[in-house]
Amino acid sequence: MLGGDHKFIALTLLISIQNLACEGFMVAFFPKVNVSLKNEANHSVYLKCGFDESKDQELQRLEPGEMRWWTFVEILFPLRWCYVHINNDNRGAFWAFTVFLKCANCSWSIRNDGAYHFNHNHIWKKHQLYLDH
């Protein structure tokens, strides 16, 4: 039979094992997603993304070579968008994260001619920018 100190140690060990099992479940079913976006255009661009909880977020200026990144937990097929203004002829919104992108570490490059995603085939693929007319 276990003494007082041993009961405490056994109980602590049992709780630790349950926490690890719960954490493993959470990671397996609700993975953490990292999204990074880098301005690789040769000029400043303006950006607003739906990763931040703030409803009154304004366009942010992103200088050449500058990056932004976000981390969130994927619960029930989240959609995350970004709006980018590259120039007057090249601006619009794109889905910065959907489950269809098949990425846990999603990388985006904003270039002079549009938004590119580093896809699951390890190829930079240009994505359409959607305008609201």
Side-chain angles (χ1 to χ4, degrees), residues 21-47:
C22 183
E23 185 177 309
F25 170 82
M26 292 298 289
V27 169
F29 288 97
F30 304 109
K32 187 181 286 190
V33 176
N34 301 299
V35 177
S36 63
L37 188 144
K38 183 175 183 180
N39 179 7
E40 293 186 326
N42 60 9
H43 54 81
S44 300
V45 300
Y46 293 89
L47 176 74

Side-chain angles (χ1 to χ4, degrees), residues 101 103 106-108 115-120 123-125 127:
L101 290 176
C103 59
C106 302
S107 298
W108 288 89
Y116 290 77
H117 174 252
F118 192 68
N119 68 20
H120 61 279
I123 298 170
W124 286 103
K125 181 180 177 190
H127 280 251

Side-chain angles (χ1 to χ4, degrees), residues 2-67:
L2 296 175
D5 287 340
H6 291 89
K7 286 181 185 177
F8 177 75
I9 292 171
L11 182 60
T12 302
L13 182 60
L14 180 60
I15 291 171
S16 297
I17 290 170
Q18 287 177 333
N19 286 341
L20 285 175
C22 183
E23 185 177 309
F25 170 82
M26 292 298 289
V27 169
F29 288 97
F30 304 109
K32 187 181 286 190
V33 176
N34 301 299
V35 177
S36 63
L37 188 144
K38 183 175 183 180
N39 179 7
E40 293 186 326
N42 60 9
H43 54 81
S44 300
V45 300
Y46 293 89
L47 176 74
K48 179 177 180 175
C49 291
F51 291 95
D52 301 318
E53 300 298 322
S54 173
K55 301 275 187 216
D56 59 303
Q57 179 189 16
E58 295 182 11
L59 289 174
Q60 300 175 15
R61 185 178 177 143
L62 200 62
E63 298 296 336
E66 195 173 356
M67 290 186 72

Side-chain angles (χ1 to χ4, degrees), residues 72 74 77-80 95-103 106:
F72 62 94
E74 178 189 332
F77 310 108
L79 299 171
R80 299 290 198 268
W95 291 112
F97 178 81
T98 72
V99 293
F100 301 111
L101 290 176
K102 301 178 184 175
C103 59
C106 302

